Structure formats: C-alpha cells, structure tokens
Amino acid sequence: MEKALAVPRLPPHDPGTPALSVVDMHTGGEPLRIVLAGCPEVAGPTLLAKRRYMRQHLDHLRRRLMFEPRGHRDMYGAVLVPSELPEAHLGVLFLHNEGYSSMCGHAVLALGRFALDFGLVPAPPAGVREARVNIHCPCGLVAAFVECEGGRSCGRVRFHSVPAFALATDLLVDVPGHGKMAVDIAYGGAFYAFVSAERLGLDICSAKTRDLVDAASAVTEAVKAQFQISHPESEDLSFLYGTIVTDGKDTYSEEPTTNICVFADEQVDRSPTGSGVTARIALQYHKGLLELNQTRAFKSSTTGSVFTGKAVREAKCGDFKAVIVEVSGQAHYTGTASFIVEDDDPLKNGFLLK
C-alpha cells in the first residue's frame, strides 16, 4: 500500500472541472496562494477590465480557493494574467475573503521570488545579485527587486510602489462605540484609514486581536459612511480597503513602529502590510515626520514580523503630491497543492464561518 500511495495522483473528481494547482507562500506570516493551473481565461483588454470580469464571471473560483474547506477566512490569493503593459513581466489579480484588492505588498514580495524561481523572468547575468521583476498590479506597475544567487532567489525582496499620497489628515469621524475621533486616510496602492490604538482605548501590543479587529472595523464602516473616497486617476481604485491601527509612533525613530491591518471582511493581515507601510510612509512624509531615504521599520502586532520602508523620491498622482516608497521583506515557500471539485459536493465553492 505504501508503494501505491507514493505515486502522486488526484482522487476521483468531476472531469469537466479542471483541478486548480497552486503554490503556497507566506511573507511575514501572511499567506499567498498563487494559482499555477486550472483557472479559465480571464477576459478583458486591460488588467482592470480583467479584474471586473473575474468578479462578474469567475468569482466562484475565488471562493473555492480562499474559503473553507480549502482555505480560511484570512487566506489571500493571486491569479496571474497577461498584462497590456509592454514593460510588465506579469499581471496579477489579488483575491481575498471579500473580493479583489487593488494592491498587495506582501504578495508582490512573494511574487518577486516566485517569478524568478519559476522562470517568468530571465535570470540575471552571472555575478548579478538582484533580479528585477515588473509586476502589473490593478493599481499600476510595481517593480520588485529580488536578491538572488546562481539564478535563484535568496534573501529579501524589495519593491518600489506606485505614487503614494495622503488623502486626508485629522478627518473628524464619529465612530459608534468610540465617539468622534481624528483619523488619517492615505493611499499606497489601496486606501487605508489610520488611527492610533490609544484613541480606541486599546494597547496595540497587549490587546486581544478580536478587540482590535472590532475597533478597526468600526472605524472602516464609519469612514465609508461619512467620507467619499476618490482616486484622482481611476474610479476602480476609489474605495476604502481597511483600517490600520497603530501604536501612534509616527515621529521618526530607529525603533520599529507597530501596527495591525484589518481589511476586506474583517480579514487580519499577519504581516506589517506592504501597501499599508507604503501609505503610512506617504502619510509620515506628508506630515514632515520623515525625510527621503530615511528607513523605518514596521512591526506586525500579530506575528512580530518586520518590513522596512522608505520614501525614495517625490512624485505626483493627479494633483496630489506623492512619493515612491520602497518596502522590503522576506517571503517563504510553504508548499504546493491541487484542489479538485466533486460535482455533488454542496460546499464545492466554499463557505466562511461568521
């Protein structure tokens, strides 16, 4: 029996539904499930059109990959698609428990490694210790730089963001259960609200994750109800992705500053949140608390994992003064899997516990 089981093969399944093959990774504890095979063609002339098509026609695949029993409510995914940009090595659609995000920094760090190791980009010449991977995200083109040796990834990955900017500072919002408070809103490929844990009556380092999630979700819903989010260049990007609760230590320090990101349907990021770090650095630069090329460390309150980031140059996004932000972290492989569907399975497209 042991010899028979040693031969990898799929169990009986619906032959009309291809198996979904994936590579699983994590960056700072935050998972990423990359679809290798089995996803139908995602139609559309642009990446944003492909994002709309997948939401309208292929959302059952998102649920199948992200939800139980194959995933969990905090699973995160990536579907690789062709890009219309000639300089892009690949395009990507990001999946989560509620839908499709516009940017994901932890995923970009992982995809940089994946693209090099799986041959989606050519290996750099001998002696060159870093490979560039141009990743077309829904928010725009993001450049990842992958440490490598002998044509394979090793060590850390960094990326340069799309233009990041502060949308609103000290915005007064009435948060049910917490009263009126000032919040900041900034963009790092996605829009986030920022508030210190102290304003919510919590300690970012000792509070239970459930209490932080409840408070962050209350802020998100309050901002959505009381403030109109608008991106200067695309309506597809004009939405609040979530709330990042911080330790309030925005003034520059060599010590890490801690935060937790709660996004989508109360999904908790285990990493310091790459696009959140991007937005937070843009906010600190806007407030004069950070200079160009001044590196800060950002720590996840859930896992203790750390990303570093810095504003590398000034830019523009519409009429907003913006910065290009570099974020650095380390991604790891965790395994591969193939998922099948039995046609008579009532839970074949997944479920989430509330």
Side-chain angles (χ1 to χ4, degrees):
M1 185 176 73
E2 184 178 344
K3 184 177 181 181
L5 292 177
V7 180
R9 59 181 179 180
L10 292 175
H13 62 284
D14 179 9
T17 305
L20 288 163
S21 298
V22 302
V23 170
D24 280 351
M25 302 182 70
H26 82 89
T27 311
E30 179 68 358
L32 181 67
R33 175 161 287 168
I34 305 166
V35 179
L36 281 179
C39 183
E41 180 185 359
V42 184
T46 67
L47 191 69
L48 287 174
K50 288 179 171 67
R51 180 169 173 260
R52 291 190 291 270
Y53 180 92
M54 186 150 191
R55 182 191 293 121
Q56 294 166 9
H57 302 286
L58 298 173
D59 196 56
H60 62 283
L61 293 178
R62 176 188 65 85
R63 299 194 304 272
R64 196 173 291 171
L65 287 163
M66 299 296 99
F67 292 1
E68 294 184 60
R70 300 172 186 86
H72 52 83
R73 69 170 300 106
D74 294 319
M75 179 55 77
Y76 205 94
V79 172
L80 305 186
V81 296
S83 167
E84 73 274 17
L85 302 180
E87 63 269 39
H89 293 111
L90 65 147
V92 60
L93 302 176
F94 300 120
L95 320 178
H96 52 69
N97 72 8
E98 191 178 52
Y100 305 85
S101 62
S102 53
M103 171 59 185
C104 181
H106 93 272
V108 165
L109 295 171
L111 285 169
R113 281 200 71 186
F114 173 85
L116 179 61
D117 293 337
F118 280 73
L120 302 184
V121 295
V128 176
R129 298 298 300 273
E130 193 174 63
R132 176 170 177 150
V133 184
N134 291 333
I135 302 173
H136 186 188
C137 305
C139 64
L141 192 68
V142 176
F145 303 89
V146 185
E147 291 183 7
C148 59
E149 186 173 0
R152 293 190 60 184
S153 67
C154 64
R156 297 177 71 83
V157 182
R158 60 190 177 95
F159 71 79
H160 284 183
S161 72
V162 296
F165 59 91
L167 180 66
T169 56
D170 295 322
L171 178 71
L172 199 61
V173 178
D174 191 358
V175 181
H178 299 277
K180 291 186 177 180
M181 65 181 64
V183 304
D184 298 325
I185 301 174
Y187 178 79
F191 284 103
Y192 296 96
F194 292 87
V195 63
S196 70
E198 184 179 13
R199 289 180 179 173
L200 297 165
L202 297 168
D203 184 300
I204 190 73
C205 296
S206 62
K208 292 181 179 179
T209 299
R210 183 69 254 174
D211 293 337
L212 291 166
V213 169
D214 289 343
S217 299
V219 172
T220 296
E221 294 308 311
V223 172
K224 285 180 178 179
Q226 299 169 44
F227 184 75
Q228 179 65 44
I229 299 287
S230 180
H231 189 278
E233 295 179 351
S234 175
E235 187 61 30
D236 286 273
L237 308 177
S238 299
F239 63 95
L240 185 69
Y241 191 30
T243 291
I244 295 178
V245 181
T246 78
D247 58 8
K249 297 177 181 178
D250 290 329
T251 301
Y252 176 75
S253 169
E254 292 184 358
E255 295 298 315
T257 175
T258 302
N259 57 230
I260 183 173
C261 175
V262 182
F263 64 98
D265 183 10
E266 297 190 339
Q267 190 160 338
V268 179
D269 195 333
R270 273 70 170 160
S271 79
T273 309
S275 56
V277 166
T278 301
R280 201 171 168 203
I281 285 177
L283 192 60
Q284 291 173 359
Y285 185 79
H286 173 80
K287 292 183 174 183
L289 302 174
L290 198 64
E291 298 176 1
L292 288 179
N293 292 306
Q294 199 168 33
T295 300
R296 287 211 72 179
F298 297 81
K299 183 178 178 181
S300 164
S301 73
T302 58
T303 63
S305 60
V306 175
F307 290 169
T308 60
K310 60 183 178 180
V312 293
R313 66 179 184 274
E314 294 183 337
K316 294 278 286 184
C317 186
D319 293 330
F320 288 95
K321 292 182 179 179
V323 285
I324 303 299
V325 175
E326 179 180 292
V327 177
S328 175
Q330 193 159 10
H332 299 273
Y333 294 102
T334 57
T336 62
S338 292
F339 299 117
I340 63 166
V341 170
E342 290 189 291
D343 196 45
D344 62 349
D345 182 357
L347 300 177
K348 64 183 179 182
N349 289 331
F351 63 92
L352 281 183
L353 295 179
K354 289 293 185 180

